[in-house]
């Protein structure tokens, strides 16, 4: 997950409660609840995320393309042949789900999706355990996403390597048909490791023709990971000392960047561990002042 938006962090740092997360989809919503963020607000939220410079450019370019599509539709002209479905290729914790959610909201703000909500699924939500079970499961998940985005995490698991007979192929065939039948109602985003996603897309001609654009999510740099920790700290009204910031950079820089590296998830978990260690340290003080309660120092690193 990407770092909190700066507006939330600044509100927390100033002693005001952070804005609540958007409410979950409900059957009935009041006008206030259903009010969607504006296009400028959503683009500002995207730009406030730590790192992801290439992704921000890609999504910004897509928004301009979609604006043109909308203007052509409003002028009574046919829309150009542009696929809205995307592949998000990147390691875990690089912000894929966060950007997928914003992408759906952006398309809703442009009037190209009726709801813009996100439905996140994986293989277990699409593939059944016996013959005749997979098609209905996949269809049900797709129907839940109508008007918004169907986000398939670890989509490559639908095509397990070295397995010739698998219900995942039925799920893919069902998805391809539904994407064709409801081409203007649902955006599908398939996400996973870069190499595995190439294999997934090439496994079915219907996928290859519908997923023509891949966004690559790079791993966060050490400096960006420090910024993510600091975002979490500000949001929860903690402050890092200079020594803690330096030690944090050294600690994050020493973590092996293998396939199991968690990126933003690692930064969030590290912040949580630091607050736990700080709590144990402060509990030993007789009468800690507010500064002590808010300060994270280098001894709070695991």
């Amino acid at each position: 997950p990407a770092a909190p938006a700066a507006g939330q962090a600044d509100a927390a740092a100033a002693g005001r409660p952070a804005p609540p997360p958007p409410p979950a989809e409900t059957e009935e919503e009041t006008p206030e609840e259903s009010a969607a963020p504006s296009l400028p607000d959503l683009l500002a939220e995207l730009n406030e995320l730590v790192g992801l410079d290439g992704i921000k450019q890609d999504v910004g370019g897509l928004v301009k393309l979609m604006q043109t599509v909308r203007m052509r539709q409003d002028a009574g002209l046919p829309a150009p042949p542009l696929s809205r479905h995307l592949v998000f290729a990147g390691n875990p914790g690089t912000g894929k789900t966060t950007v997928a959610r914003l992408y759906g909201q952006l398309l809703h703000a442009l009037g190209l999706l009726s709801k813009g909500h996100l439905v996140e699924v994986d293989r277990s939500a699409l593939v059944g355990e016996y013959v005749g079970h997979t098609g209905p499961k996949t269809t049900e998940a797709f129907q839940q996403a109508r008007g918004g985005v169907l986000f398939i995490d670890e989509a490559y698991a639908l095509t397990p390597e070295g397995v010739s007979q698998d219900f995942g192929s039925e799920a893919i065939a069902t998805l391809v048909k539904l994407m064709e039948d409801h081409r203007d109602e649902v955006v599908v985003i398939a996400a996973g490791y870069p190499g595995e996603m190439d294999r997934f897309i090439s496994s079915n001609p219907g996928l290859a023709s519908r997923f023509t654009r891949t966004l690559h999510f790079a791993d966060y740099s050490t400096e960006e990971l420090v910024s993510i920790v600091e975002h979490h700290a500000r949001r929860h009204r903690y402050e890092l000392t200079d020594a803690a910031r330096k030690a944090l950079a050294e600690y994050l820089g020493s973590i092996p960047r293998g396939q199991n590296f968690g990126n933003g998830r690692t930064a969030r978990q590290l912040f949580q561990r630091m607050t736990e260690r700080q709590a144990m340290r402060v509990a030993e003080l007789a009468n800690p002042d507010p500064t002590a309660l808010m300060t994270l120092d280098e001894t709070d690193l695991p």
Side-chain angles (χ1 to χ4, degrees):
Q8 291 180 312
D10 292 343
R16 305 191 304 274
E25 290 287 321
T26 56
E27 291 297 324
E28 295 182 4
E29 294 177 319
T30 65
E32 292 80 7
E33 289 174 328
S34 60
S38 69
L39 185 63
D41 287 343
L42 291 166
L43 290 172
E45 185 176 346
L46 175 69
N47 287 324
E48 286 169 357
L49 298 176
V50 172
L52 303 177
D53 292 341
I55 297 299
K56 292 172 185 176
Q57 290 182 356
D58 290 340
V59 174
L62 284 170
V63 167
K64 291 179 181 178
L65 286 172
M66 300 301 178
Q67 284 177 309
T68 303
V69 169
R70 185 64 184 174
M71 286 188 287
R72 284 181 60 87
Q73 290 176 336
D74 291 344
L77 298 169
L82 176 67
S83 175
R84 299 180 295 178
H85 308 300
L86 298 172
V87 174
F88 282 6
N91 292 325
T94 47
K96 298 187 294 295
T97 306
T98 297
V99 174
R101 184 173 289 107
L102 278 170
Y103 183 62
Q105 293 175 319
L106 284 163
L107 292 183
H108 175 59
L110 288 167
L112 297 173
L113 284 176
S114 61
K115 295 181 180 178
H117 66 297
L118 183 82
V119 174
E120 184 174 357
V121 298
D122 57 13
R123 176 187 165 95
S124 66
L126 303 176
V127 177
E129 299 176 359
Y130 50 84
V131 174
H133 191 204
T134 295
K137 280 192 76 169
T138 301
T139 301
E140 180 183 1
F142 191 93
Q143 294 293 345
Q144 290 176 359
R146 287 182 66 172
V149 173
L150 181 66
F151 181 82
I152 308 174
D153 197 18
E154 299 182 347
Y156 53 82
L158 294 174
T159 56
E161 199 166 13
V163 179
S164 56
Q165 298 294 325
D166 184 81
F167 290 141
S169 59
E170 183 183 348
I172 291 172
T174 304
L175 273 173
V176 168
K177 184 177 188 307
L178 289 167
M179 290 166 71
E180 180 63 27
D181 293 344
H182 305 280
R183 65 177 68 185
D184 295 326
E185 298 178 69
V186 177
V187 167
V188 179
I189 297 178
Y193 293 113
E196 296 280 10
M197 291 309 297
D198 291 341
R199 179 178 62 79
F200 168 70
I201 297 301
S202 63
S203 70
N204 183 294
L207 291 177
S209 65
R210 286 162 180 79
F211 290 101
T212 59
R213 189 184 303 270
T214 298
L215 272 58
H216 294 276
F217 287 70
D219 287 342
Y220 288 111
S221 68
T222 295
E223 293 76 15
E224 289 169 342
L225 290 170
V226 170
S227 294
I228 291 173
V229 173
E230 290 191 292
H231 269 293
H232 286 294
R234 286 195 298 271
R235 183 182 180 191
H236 292 87
R237 298 193 68 191
Y238 287 93
E239 295 178 1
L240 275 70
T241 64
D242 290 341
R245 198 172 291 108
K246 179 180 178 182
L248 178 62
E250 293 174 353
Y251 181 91
L252 288 166
S254 70
I255 300 176
R257 303 298 176 93
Q259 195 177 59
N260 294 325
F261 181 66
N263 280 287
R265 189 178 306 129
T266 295
R268 186 182 69 249
Q269 292 170 346
L270 180 56
F271 166 69
Q272 181 177 341
R273 293 176 67 185
M274 290 178 71
T275 61
E276 291 170 356
R277 290 172 63 89
Q278 187 254 22
M280 299 296 290
R281 175 173 59 79
V282 172
E284 300 296 324
L285 301 177
N287 188 24
D289 59 23
T291 300
L293 293 170
M294 295 172 62
T295 300
L296 297 172
D297 64 28
E298 67 275 17
T299 65
D300 298 322
L301 278 161

